[in-house]
């Protein structure tokens, strides 16, 4: 069995040239919006692991979920609703592809990946939200991302990462 770790966070910017995260956020201010209820954010992901598992190629689906709708406290109009953000495929590098001896890891199958996805996201309300990441382990190729989410929930599959944050005005 292998060891797998995924961390996600919202950040203001990600500098590709220096691989630097700039401005980790746990609160989104809609007053800084470009369009009504839309704001540009970066979803930063750090993945690492080692061992025979996980697979050489892994697919992940990212969803935005409203956990508490503060604008409609009685009806909870958006509470519990999810929307698809994006998908990511990660491939493990072959240890033989390492440039020199010093970069060869101690454990077999060691891997790490870092990425940031810039997105303009629509927030239907203020309140509490989560970005939930699911590993797509299904042999069935489902093209519709929301159908995949229904399958994850139906199969009681837990997310591999969750990032909780607030949206305010």
């Amino acid at each position: 069995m292998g060891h797998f770790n995924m961390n996600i966070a919202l950040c203001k910017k990600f500098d590709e040239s220096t691989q630097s995260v700039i401005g980790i956020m746990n609160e989104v201010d809609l007053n800084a919006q470009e369009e009504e209820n839309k704001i540009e954010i970066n979803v930063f992901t750090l993945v690492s692991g080692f061992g025979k598992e996980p697979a050489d190629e892994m697919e992940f689906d990212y969803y935005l979920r409203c956990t508490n709708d503060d604008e409609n406290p009685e009806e909870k109009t958006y509470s519990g609703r999810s929307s698809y953000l994006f998908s990511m495929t990660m491939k493990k590098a072959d240890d033989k592809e390492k440039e020199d001896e010093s970069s060869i890891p101690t454990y077999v199958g060691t891997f790490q990946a870092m990425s940031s996805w810039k997105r303009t996201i629509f927030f239907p309300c203020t309140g509490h939200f989560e970005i939930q990441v699911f590993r797509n382990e299904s042999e069935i190729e489902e093209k519709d991302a929301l159908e995949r989410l229904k399958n994850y929930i139906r199969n009681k599959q837990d997310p591999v990462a969750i990032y909780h944050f607030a949206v305010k005005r």
Side-chain angles (χ1 to χ4, degrees):
M1 174 159 174
H3 300 276
F4 173 80
N5 184 41
M6 175 183 264
N7 294 290
I8 58 174
L10 295 182
C11 61
K12 292 180 182 176
K13 291 182 182 178
F14 181 75
D15 185 332
E16 289 286 339
S17 63
T18 62
Q19 297 285 287
S20 299
V21 175
I22 302 162
I24 290 179
M25 306 180 327
N26 62 1
E27 185 174 289
V28 173
D29 183 359
L30 289 180
N31 289 325
Q33 64 198 20
E34 297 170 6
E35 298 176 47
E36 184 155 349
N37 291 0
K38 285 186 177 182
I39 194 160
E40 187 175 276
I41 59 172
N42 290 272
V43 179
F44 171 75
T45 302
L46 175 63
V47 179
S48 64
F50 65 91
K52 296 180 182 178
E53 280 288 333
D56 289 338
E57 184 173 292
M58 296 173 280
E59 295 177 26
F60 301 98
D61 290 322
Y62 289 65
Y63 298 91
L64 177 69
R65 182 176 178 89
C66 177
T67 59
N68 190 35
D69 177 350
D70 287 350
E71 289 181 8
N72 305 292
E74 298 301 317
E75 300 91 36
K76 298 282 185 195
T77 307
Y78 294 102
S79 292
R81 293 205 183 166
S82 296
S83 60
Y84 172 70
L85 292 176
F86 60 89
S87 294
M88 175 183 78
T89 300
M90 192 204 86
K91 295 181 181 181
K92 286 191 336 190
D94 188 350
D95 288 340
K96 295 173 190 153
E97 295 175 14
K98 305 291 183 197
E99 292 179 19
D100 60 46
E101 278 292 314
S102 65
S103 67
I104 296 174
T106 305
Y107 292 99
V108 175
T110 298
F111 64 94
Q112 65 184 30
M114 189 179 344
S115 66
S116 180
W117 296 79
K118 184 187 281 188
R119 293 288 188 267
T120 299
I121 299 178
F122 171 75
F123 291 98
C125 62
T126 58
H128 297 276
F129 286 79
E130 289 178 344
I131 293 178
Q132 298 180 344
V133 183
F134 290 87
R135 181 172 171 198
N136 186 350
E137 298 173 323
S138 175
E139 299 295 320
I140 302 166
E141 191 169 318
E142 176 58 62
K143 295 192 186 306
D144 185 292
L146 291 177
E147 284 300 315
R148 288 196 304 272
L149 178 60
K150 288 179 188 175
N151 288 337
Y152 298 143
I153 293 167
R154 187 178 316 113
N155 295 331
K156 296 183 170 91
Q157 181 177 336
D158 290 330
V160 294
I162 295 175
Y163 189 76
H164 188 83
F165 61 99
V167 174
K168 301 193 177 196
R169 284 190 206 281

